[in-house]
């Protein structure tokens, strides 16, 4: 009898000790946050701002790790192939909808658990301050009249800004090759080439052109978005000037490996949603010139699918797709 009682009490004590471990909620330890692009760039900046807020919200360290290489393939692969337990997440960028069309990877937007869209910076059309073209309609008419005369830059061949321009030209009924693309290492050198007179236009985002616009060296003719930019509300939308509904831009979101637990996914989505809709986060991001656009969970998935379809169509039309 005594042995039975002692054994019973021991079982109760063991259950009591084990209960907290079984009931412990995610997250119990630090989270790794992967950024597929180099430190110091726009994606890195947005990611680190978000990670700092997420750390406070979840009560655990969120360690940002830059995994660069392969035009974004290395970092995006690291996110997709991590353990699907919520302890490794990262920034997904628009390139995930370009790399597979280029034959660089089999990864697509469907390779991830979508958590939240946190940023979007639409393409804009910039010209030098002394350009004779008063608006984007006049610029398009000049391109139509002089195919091959104009040059543009702002990213590598087949990069997001190249595709933004190609899509705009195609939507206007022009050959995407009517403007010669001059590859560059990014928006900054492309804009410098614009100021120096090496190219006639750049289709980069307004935040990237901000310093030169404010310095009076560059003027923005239009933005490829449904609404004007909060950064420069006087810059008209492409549709308002030309009637074209073409929109395109770079975006950044947060995702994890496919197959993450539903409760962890829900908690992360709610936490990120709370952060990105807070005044403190919005003010910090906007003060640095980044656009804010929010879509959570399924809405983010739909956004990625739409982006993928649009980019695929343009890449096929311009001969940049390999599938």
């Amino acid at each position: 009898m005594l042995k039975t009682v002692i054994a019973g009490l021991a079982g109760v004590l063991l259950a009591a000790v084990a209960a907290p471990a079984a009931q412990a909620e995610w997250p119990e330890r630090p989270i790794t946050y992967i950024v597929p692009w180099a430190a110091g760039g726009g994606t890195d900046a947005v990611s680190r701002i978000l990670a700092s807020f997420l750390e406070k919200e979840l009560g655990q360290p969120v360690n940002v790790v830059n995994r660069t290489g392969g035009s974004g393939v290395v970092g995006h692969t690291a996110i997709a192939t991590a353990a699907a337990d919520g302890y490794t997440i990262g920034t997904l960028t628009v390139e995930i909808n370009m790399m597979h069309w280029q034959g660089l990877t089999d990864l697509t937007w469907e390779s991830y658990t979508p958590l939240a869209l946190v940023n979007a910076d639409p393409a804009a059309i910039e010209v030098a301050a002394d350009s004779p073209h008063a608006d984007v309609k006049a610029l398009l008419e000049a391109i139509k009249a002089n195919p091959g005369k104009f040059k543009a830059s702002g990213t590598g061949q087949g990069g997001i800004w190249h595709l933004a321009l190609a899509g705009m030209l195609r939507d206007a009924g022009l050959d995407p090759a009517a403007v010669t693309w001059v590859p560059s290492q990014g928006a900054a050198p492309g804009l410098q080439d614009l100021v120096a007179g090496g190219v006639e236009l750049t289709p980069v985002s307004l935040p990237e052109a901000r310093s030169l616009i404010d310095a009076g060296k560059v003027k923005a003719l239009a933005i490829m978005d449904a609404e004007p930019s909060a950064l420069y509300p006087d810059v008209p939308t492409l549709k308002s000037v030309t009637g074209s509904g073409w929109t395109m831009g770079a975006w950044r979101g947060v995702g994890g490996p496919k197959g993450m637990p539903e409760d962890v996914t829900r908690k992360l989505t709610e936490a990120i949603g709370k952060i990105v809709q807070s005044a403190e986060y919005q003010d910090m991001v906007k003060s640095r010139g980044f656009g804010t656009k929010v879509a959570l969970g399924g809405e983010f998935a739909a956004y990625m699918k739409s982006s993928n379809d649009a980019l695929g169509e343009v890449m096929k039309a311009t001969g940049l797709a390999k599938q």
Side-chain angles (χ1 to χ4, degrees):
M1 178 70 73
L2 181 59
K3 288 181 180 179
T4 302
V5 172
I6 291 173
L9 288 172
V12 171
L13 288 171
L14 284 171
V17 171
Q23 294 173 3
E25 292 187 5
W26 179 94
E28 301 176 82
R29 52 187 172 84
I31 295 167
T32 297
Y33 191 105
I34 295 174
V35 179
W37 302 98
T43 298
D44 182 67
V46 171
S47 299
R48 289 180 184 274
I49 291 171
L50 179 63
S52 66
F53 278 87
L54 196 57
E55 191 169 270
K56 297 175 184 176
E57 186 67 27
L58 297 177
Q60 289 285 356
V62 178
N63 302 315
V64 177
V65 178
N66 297 87
R67 296 288 303 275
T68 62
S71 299
V73 172
V74 172
H76 283 95
T77 299
I79 299 169
T81 58
D85 54 11
Y87 288 102
T88 300
I89 58 175
T91 296
L92 308 180
T93 64
V94 65
E95 284 78 12
I96 196 61
N97 285 338
M98 300 161 63
M99 298 183 297
H100 72 96
W101 291 115
Q102 295 168 306
L104 299 177
T105 179
D106 291 331
L107 294 173
T108 70
W109 64 272
E110 294 179 283
S111 303
Y112 304 90
T113 295
L115 299 173
L117 174 72
V118 299
N119 161 256
D121 291 313
I125 294 294
E126 298 93 4
V127 295
D130 60 357
S131 171
H133 309 294
D135 57 40
V136 71
K137 186 176 182 180
L139 176 63
L140 286 170
E141 289 173 351
I143 292 171
K144 183 177 181 180
N146 302 277
K149 175 183 177 181
F150 289 79
K151 296 186 290 295
S153 187
T155 187
Q157 186 80 11
I160 184 61
W161 303 136
H162 183 192
L163 295 180
L165 175 63
M168 182 189 77
L169 294 173
R170 184 168 176 266
D171 200 61
L174 301 176
D175 183 348
V179 175
T180 301
W181 187 258
V182 179
S184 72
Q185 293 300 311
L191 286 161
Q192 289 299 329
D193 203 9
L194 175 67
V195 173
V199 299
E200 286 74 30
L201 66 139
T202 59
V204 305
S205 72
L206 291 174
E208 291 171 315
R210 184 178 188 178
S211 61
L212 291 174
I213 292 175
D214 291 348
K217 295 182 178 181
V218 167
K219 61 183 179 182
L221 300 184
I223 186 171
M224 298 183 200
D225 200 18
E227 301 291 338
S229 165
L231 186 61
Y232 294 107
D234 292 336
V235 176
T237 64
L238 183 65
K239 186 172 185 177
S240 68
V241 180
T242 69
S244 169
W246 173 254
T247 61
M248 181 60 71
W251 54 260
R252 303 173 178 102
V254 186
K258 192 171 183 177
M260 283 171 50
E262 289 186 10
D263 58 331
V264 174
T265 299
R266 182 174 61 254
K267 190 169 184 178
L268 267 170
T269 301
E270 290 175 353
I272 297 170
K274 180 180 177 181
I275 291 167
V276 297
Q277 295 178 81
S278 70
E280 186 180 5
Y281 173 88
Q282 292 269 337
D283 290 344
M284 183 177 291
V285 172
K286 288 178 181 178
S287 70
R288 301 192 183 192
F290 295 110
T292 56
K293 190 178 184 69
V294 179
L296 304 178
E299 290 183 356
F300 179 34
Y303 183 91
M304 285 195 288
K305 181 183 185 305
S306 177
S307 168
N308 180 73
D309 293 346
L311 286 166
E313 184 178 345
V314 175
M315 293 179 77
K316 288 175 183 177
T318 54
L320 294 169
K322 293 185 178 180
Q323 52 174 291

